[in-house]
Amino acid sequence: MHSNCRHNDMEIHFEKEYLSELYYTAKTTDKKHRFQPTIVKRYIRTIDIMESVQSTEDLYRFNSLNYEVLSGDLKGFESVRVGDKYRIVFRSEKIVSNTVLTICNIIDLTNHYK
């Protein structure tokens, strides 16, 4: 959890430990979740952007993120892109005046486009 959020910016929660480790240390002890350094850098940069905006609607301004509300099996989730093959899947909810994002997963996108 990020405790030094400025008021009205989005608050980021990580559902899994490896997601938090990747963000704070740029590496993870979880051997199942190893990513190329360029992907880790983009992941960190993307989380920084997500944290800096005031609402999920603001994510539409960043074309490279390709922000979308998901449907089908992932109904209730949203996603932003991290490079060509990965995306961050998350849930958002409004709590009083703050939006809280829960980062759920990084999903390999290759199957998504087959």
Side-chain angles (χ1 to χ4, degrees):
M1 280 191 224
H2 231 302
S3 54
N4 60 353
C5 274
R6 292 180 304 280
H7 188 64
N8 284 341
D9 286 353
M10 291 211 257
E11 192 177 311
I12 305 282
H13 294 227
F14 296 94
E15 195 165 84
K16 298 183 179 86
E17 185 61 32
Y18 84 93
L19 295 166
S20 179
E21 283 179 345
L22 280 175
Y23 181 67
Y24 290 111
T25 68
K27 55 188 184 287
T28 178
T29 53
D30 187 335
K31 289 183 176 43
K32 277 198 328 238
H33 298 102
R34 292 281 163 88
F35 299 96
Q36 294 295 322
T38 53
I39 294 299
V40 174
K41 265 192 202 115
R42 286 185 183 152
Y43 169 73
I44 292 168
R45 194 169 62 219
T46 303
I47 299 288
D48 285 342
I49 290 170
M50 293 169 78
E51 196 175 46
S52 73
V53 298
Q54 292 189 358
S55 73
T56 50
E57 288 74 31
D58 294 339
L59 295 170
Y60 283 118
R61 290 193 321 232
F62 299 90
N63 290 338
S64 64
L65 294 183
N66 202 31
Y67 168 69
E68 59 184 341
V69 175
L70 302 174
S71 56
D73 292 348
L74 291 172
K75 188 169 173 51
F77 293 91
E78 298 148 86
S79 78
V80 289
R81 193 166 293 165
V82 178
D84 293 336
K85 295 187 175 164
Y86 297 93
R87 65 181 173 177
I88 297 170
V89 174
F90 63 96
R91 283 188 307 268
S92 66
E93 58 182 317
K94 272 230 177 277
I95 296 179
V96 193
S97 63
N98 272 9
T99 299
V100 175
L101 295 187
T102 301
I103 305 300
C104 301
N105 215 337
I106 300 178
I107 293 183
D108 193 314
L109 275 190
T110 47
N111 298 331
H112 187 69
Y113 291 111
K114 277 186 183 167

